[in-house]
Amino acid sequence: MKLLTLIVHTNVQQELSDLLHTMDQVTGFSFSRVEGYGTEKENDPYLLARDEVIGCIPRIQVEILLEDKDVEGVLGRLRDKDNNVTGQGVYWVMPVENGGHIL
């Protein structure tokens, strides 16, 4: 198993959610609100004046548990130039050693 983590602009949350719902490999995902700090804020056209003043970028963190064989297919769909998600964030993939339901 792998954990795919995405950090994307808040403006693409709905489109990302819609896209993930269309993928058979994705059986569920979690959104969390996060804030980013760094120099990339100067090039971000979606920032509000308040965000520019305090120096943070509102983002969404998405965590998706995937089978190893499904990671590249999901990333391929996310990178597709025909959606507005492409170019709106960063990702990383980590191995999952153990997981399950808490009983």
Side-chain angles (χ1 to χ4, degrees), residues 22-96:
T22 68
M23 297 184 201
D24 293 336
Q25 307 95 321
V26 177
T27 58
F29 51 90
S30 298
F31 282 128
S32 301
R33 296 206 177 276
V34 295
E35 292 180 349
Y37 295 87
T39 58
E40 73 274 5
K41 71 180 180 63
E42 296 165 1
N43 300 320
D44 191 332
Y46 300 104
L47 285 183
L48 300 174
R50 174 195 169 277
D51 300 330
E52 287 191 70
V53 170
I54 63 173
C56 78
I57 301 171
R59 306 228 189 217
I60 300 295
Q61 179 173 323
V62 187
E63 295 183 328
I64 309 164
L65 192 59
L66 296 169
E67 296 290 336
D68 291 0
K69 65 181 177 47
D70 294 332
V71 173
E72 286 306 315
V74 169
L75 287 173
R77 292 279 309 276
L78 293 171
R79 292 179 183 131
D80 188 330
K81 64 182 178 180
D82 293 331
N83 67 58
N84 289 331
V85 176
T86 302
Q88 296 292 325
V90 298
Y91 76 92
W92 57 90
V93 178
M94 299 182 334
V96 175

